Amino acid sequence: SPEDVSLMDRTEEASVEEVWEALSEWKTLKQRAELLDTARQNDHPSSGGAKVDA
């Protein structure tokens, strides 16, 4: 997870910008997965069918 990444350790392998971009993408994908899971759960017929676009 992004919380486990040290920029000091990673800058030897990649630029700071590359590390930030990778962390940002990881966080975005995690948030989208959570939204999709919520939408899937809310789409159940007994839940009222609320939908979320991710």
Side-chain angles (χ1 to χ4, degrees):
S1 79
E3 292 81 22
D4 297 329
V5 175
S6 167
L7 285 178
M8 298 306 290
D9 293 340
R10 297 292 178 200
T11 55
E12 294 174 8
E13 301 169 14
S15 72
V16 172
E17 291 82 11
E18 290 172 322
V19 174
W20 276 113
E21 185 176 325
L23 293 174
S24 177
E25 181 178 359
W26 187 92
K27 185 176 180 180
T28 299
L29 292 173
K30 184 177 179 206
Q31 290 172 336
R32 291 189 87 187
E34 290 170 357
L35 284 171
L36 290 169
D37 189 45
T38 299
R40 181 187 56 81
Q41 291 173 7
N42 288 339
D43 197 29
H44 190 273
S46 65
S47 69
K51 296 186 182 207
V52 176
D53 288 331

